Amino acid sequence: MSRERSQDERAAARSGWAVGIATAAYGVSFGALATASGLDVWQACVLSLLMFSGGSQFALIGVLASGGVAAGGSAIAGAALLGVRNSFYALRLSRIIGPGFWRRAAATPLTIDESTAVATAHQEPRAQRIGFWTTGLVVYIGWNLTTLAGALLGNLIGDVKAYGLDAAAAAAFLGLLWPRLKARQTQAVAVAAGFVATLLTPFLMPGLPVLAAAAVAILAGVLNVFGRRSDPPHPEAIPMEREVEP
């Protein structure tokens, strides 16, 4: 007999669906911009199926649109830099996903900003897993469907920013982040990382500002900037070596 879900587990599922749908809707923009940049419909769809990293995908087509095939090297480099962050997410999510080759292989393409944010926003191990898998699958399936729709419609839908789709995913992500900014240290890290990323964006290639902001967060955590030595460890500071029970 299946047990009833806890309040935290139900909240994780709701968050997964909400964030997943909001993020997937923006796939329309990628599909439209990809075909406008010179890609065929099938090329746009293959990118979403195999690359499946929104920031990397937009970086790729952005550089291709400005420089054509000759800019392929720069496009790949920029996309790769943005994708580096997912490897750090994998380290953090290792104990949430749990052991097992096939389980971790299935989780690999779903390890993205949104699934990581929803998973780590909850405390119960089962709720974290529900948040990760729900968000990852909803985004993956929805993103690929909306990519196809955007690629087929192309210029017919006009500027997708007019519909607010470009802000939907960011708003959902901010909604997850906001309740976590309670301690003085997390507030300071958020402000510092955002300032660094904003300052460097006009001068560096895509991907580098994100990595620089991450470096600020890591440095602040290691040095315990604005934190108190006597403060108890945050639940998110559980050692990654400890695997959650199935």
Side-chain angles (χ1 to χ4, degrees):
M1 186 173 69
S2 60
R3 71 177 185 84
E4 185 179 353
R5 283 186 174 183
S6 69
Q7 183 176 355
D8 196 31
E9 291 169 4
R10 292 193 295 271
R14 289 194 300 269
S15 297
W17 277 99
V19 173
I21 292 173
T23 304
Y26 198 31
V28 174
S29 175
F30 172 74
L33 291 175
T35 52
S37 301
L39 298 182
D40 295 331
V41 172
W42 72 269
Q43 290 174 324
C45 291
V46 168
L47 265 181
S48 284
L49 283 168
L50 300 182
M51 180 179 283
F52 188 56
S53 176
S56 298
Q57 291 177 233
F58 279 107
L60 181 67
I61 63 172
V63 177
L64 288 177
S66 62
V69 178
S74 299
I76 294 173
L81 283 172
L82 280 170
V84 166
R85 69 191 189 282
N86 289 4
S87 62
F88 294 103
Y89 295 160
L91 294 175
R92 175 63 186 87
L93 292 171
S94 176
R95 68 180 185 84
I96 295 175
I97 302 303
F101 173 80
W102 293 112
R103 180 187 300 179
R104 295 195 174 194
T108 298
L110 305 182
T111 303
I112 54 176
D113 297 332
E114 293 77 16
S115 61
T116 302
V118 174
T120 56
H122 299 274
Q123 302 302 325
E124 296 180 11
R126 182 173 171 81
Q128 291 177 331
R129 291 196 294 270
I130 290 174
F132 172 83
W133 290 108
T134 301
T135 309
L137 289 171
V138 171
V139 174
Y140 186 82
I141 296 171
W143 181 271
N144 281 283
L145 290 176
T146 54
T147 292
L148 175 61
L152 291 174
L153 292 174
N155 294 330
L156 295 179
I157 63 175
D159 185 1
V160 293
K161 292 183 179 180
Y163 304 102
L165 294 180
D166 59 322
F173 197 85
L174 182 59
L176 286 171
L177 176 66
W178 189 260
R180 301 171 69 83
L181 301 180
K182 297 178 180 178
R184 181 172 57 179
Q185 183 177 20
T186 56
Q187 293 169 356
V189 170
V191 172
F195 175 77
V196 169
T198 303
L199 183 67
L200 297 180
T201 295
F203 306 104
L204 300 180
M205 64 186 300
L208 288 179
V210 176
L211 295 179
V216 170
I218 293 172
L219 182 63
V222 171
L223 298 179
N224 195 32
V225 178
F226 296 110
R228 299 186 181 93
R229 295 295 178 183
S230 59
D231 287 345
H234 191 273
E236 292 301 323
I238 300 173
M240 290 189 297
E241 288 78 8
R242 193 191 80 183
E243 301 288 354
V244 298
E245 298 179 0

